[in-house]
Amino acid sequence: MYQLLVFDWDGTLMDSEAKIVACLQAAAAELRVAIPAETEARQVIGLGLHEAVRMLFPGSDEQTYRGLAEAYRDHFLVRNKARSRLFPGVVETLTSLSDDYLLAVATGKSRRGLERELDDSGLRPFFQATRCADEAFSKPHPQMLEDILEKLGMQPSETLMVGDTEYDMRMATSAGSHGLGVSYGVHEPQRLIDSGALAMLDAFSEMPAWLSGR
């Protein structure tokens, strides 16, 4: 049924939630604005950075938004030395899937951030296309997914978006594709189901069996 599988990065392939939350909180402290609680910061993971700071710090002026975005980048890319890890089974599962499907990434990360993590994780060879939030409209807008489809010559009906947030599912629906959720990320499963997810996986390694069952 599907020929192209498109993956979110943070919360789907990479367990980076704790680092993202810490860097958002550090940016807020640096700019001397109200520091968001962990539960609040988690809700914006998956959005592009500028969209995330606007949602997390409503009512701030443009200078503050720009400052928060720059402070977050500095903490995430330079100052915070914590290393995020791939979720269990990611490498083995992508290895299996790459025999039968085209694979791609659509992420709220910046291009600079994704390039570094593709190299650090060793996952770069698996993906035929990648698209980031600083190259297109942020999720849930469908542009990132549409750009990948155009590059690879795929149709929406041939494409499955895999992610851990409602933004991933809404992007897939808006592009005319389907979405598959993972339950171990930042948004609760029902939120993804309500946003159009066909099903929920409790582990990334369950994906080949789910696809075979389709």
Side-chain angles (χ1 to χ4, degrees), residues 46-118:
L47 295 174
L49 179 55
H50 291 283
E51 290 75 16
V53 296
R54 280 171 169 75
M55 181 180 289
L56 199 54
F57 305 98
S60 300
D61 57 35
E62 287 301 314
Q63 182 177 354
T64 301
Y65 286 137
R66 288 193 297 271
L68 286 164
E70 288 302 319
Y72 172 84
R73 287 193 194 96
D74 184 46
H75 281 279
F76 193 90
L77 294 172
V78 180
R79 296 164 66 180
N80 188 312
K81 302 301 183 182
R83 294 182 66 86
S84 301
R85 296 184 178 183
L86 297 172
F87 284 106
V90 165
V91 173
E92 297 83 357
T93 303
L94 291 178
T95 300
S96 173
L97 294 173
S98 64
D99 291 335
D100 300 307
Y101 302 92
L102 294 174
L103 308 180
V105 170
T107 176
K109 302 185 79 63
S110 68
R111 172 54 61 182
R112 180 184 175 189
L114 179 62
E115 290 295 316
R116 188 174 76 169
E117 293 202 351
L118 284 170

